[in-house]
Amino acid sequence: MQQNLTREEKRQQKLDVILRNAAKAFMERGYYKTSLDDIASMQNVTKPTLYYYIKNKEDILVKCEEVTCGRINAMLDEVMAKNISGYEMLYQFIMRYIGIIIDDVARCHVRHRGQMEDEMLRAQSIKNHKDIENRVREIIRRGIGDGSIRNCNSTILAILLFDSLNGLTSWYKADGKVDQNELTDEVLALVGSGVCRT
Amino acid sequence: MQQNLTREEKRQQKLDVILRNAAKAFMERGYYKTSLDDIASMQNVTKPTLYYYIKNKEDILVKCEEVTCGRINAMLDEVMAKNISGYEMLYQFIMRYIGIIIDDVARCHVRHRGQMEDEMLRAQSIKNHKDIENRVREIIRRGIGDGSIRNCNSTILAILLFDSLNGLTSWYKADGKVDQNELTDEVLALVGSGVCRT
DNA sequence: TTATATTGTTACCGAATAGTAACATATTTT
DNA sequence: AAAATATGTTACTATTCGGTAACAATATAA
């Protein structure tokens, strides 16, 4: 039994490594410029071996999405269960969202979501994001309801918020010049109070 | 002479149509899933004919970028020449930027900038955007200087601003449900005052 | 009208690459 | 130890597609 578990764990670990390496390569070189041979050689195996862990190339994107959306939704479960104002919820969501998407697998998901060639998978991917977006809209509406957030179009605000947060994935490097805390502070200040002085 | 001009004009017009159709296809199906045969058949010509107007596939991206960056810089020239506060400049920039990037060629540029395979072209593309970003940073700094914009990190603010504005290109459809004026108002309200009520 | 430049076509090449079939080896279970 | 399962490899297929050479037609200029 324990050996079975170990085998299963090994398998899961190998899948994780494949996802992480593939995601990194997709972000650096792009999805179509990264061949399965490239990905395979990163794990020191050959291409057919990958097919033991993934269904096909596109399945890598799907699996990156599953992992990332799982994390985001779990975080939203936590944040939305708290007994705090809508604005405070939004604040905490932003803070923790930045923490989640600074990760190759998450960045890969953000960049490629809704771009699967398979129609069913593409529809599912779009739905996954819409669901998350709707939960954030719910937070915004709560904030408007309890008076902590200025009255606004929650749909547009949620989209603008995700655009700027997801945009981070294409330039922010955890080891770069910009400190994560400073970045988070600037985002929170901008979203909270805008740029106007008066 | 007049015939020469007409020929030259015809040529330019055909190139414009190629760019517009290619840009639209790239946005709908993606760059790699759109073949040159696809693009050629949209203009009712064959693939080799395209090579009379473009150097190669990547050159389409380059030309979309030239057109778009030209428009943005011309707009910045105008806005920055005015005798108004930094905040008012930023306000006008945002308003007119939204007008510019709601266009297939501009959307294509935004989505594919910095992704050329040719190293030189990629570097040039990155530089083009950095230059524009720096001009917006200059506006922000002026606003901080004249007291119209809250003291903040102009680098991060400029990036966040472009992320949310460029993000529009992937969801906003001019003929969709969201009115351009309402969208612009929401963006300006968010950037100006944030979401916080107090 | 004749020469020249422009615009277009057909037919093809070469390279890349996703995915598979058949076969080999290691590991676990009985 | 034997059977079964999991993991991996080599070799190959099929297809797509960017780009080009050679050739044809058309418009412009001399």
Side-chain angles (χ1 to χ4, degrees), chain B residues 150-168:
Chain B
R150 171 174 61 74
N151 191 25
C152 64
N153 182 322
S154 66
T155 308
I156 294 181
L157 175 57
I159 293 177
L160 293 176
L161 185 59
F162 273 109
D163 283 341
S164 53
L165 292 177
N166 289 336
L168 301 181

Side-chain angles (χ1 to χ4, degrees), chain A residues 30 118 198:
Chain A
D118 182 283
T198 43

Side-chain angles (χ1 to χ4, degrees), chain A residues 134-183:
Chain A
N134 280 331
R135 297 187 76 182
V136 172
R137 283 180 58 192
E138 168 62 21
I139 292 180
I140 294 169
R141 276 196 300 272
R142 281 197 213 176
I144 295 173
D146 67 27
S148 62
I149 290 179
R150 171 173 61 76
N151 191 26
C152 64
N153 183 320
S154 66
T155 308
I156 295 181
L157 175 56
I159 293 177
L160 292 176
L161 184 59
F162 273 110
D163 282 343
S164 53
L165 292 177
N166 289 336
L168 300 181
T169 57
S170 55
W171 64 271
Y172 181 76
K173 308 271 179 253
D175 56 351
K177 286 173 190 168
V178 180
D179 178 67
Q180 186 179 336
N181 291 322
E182 188 189 356
L183 172 64

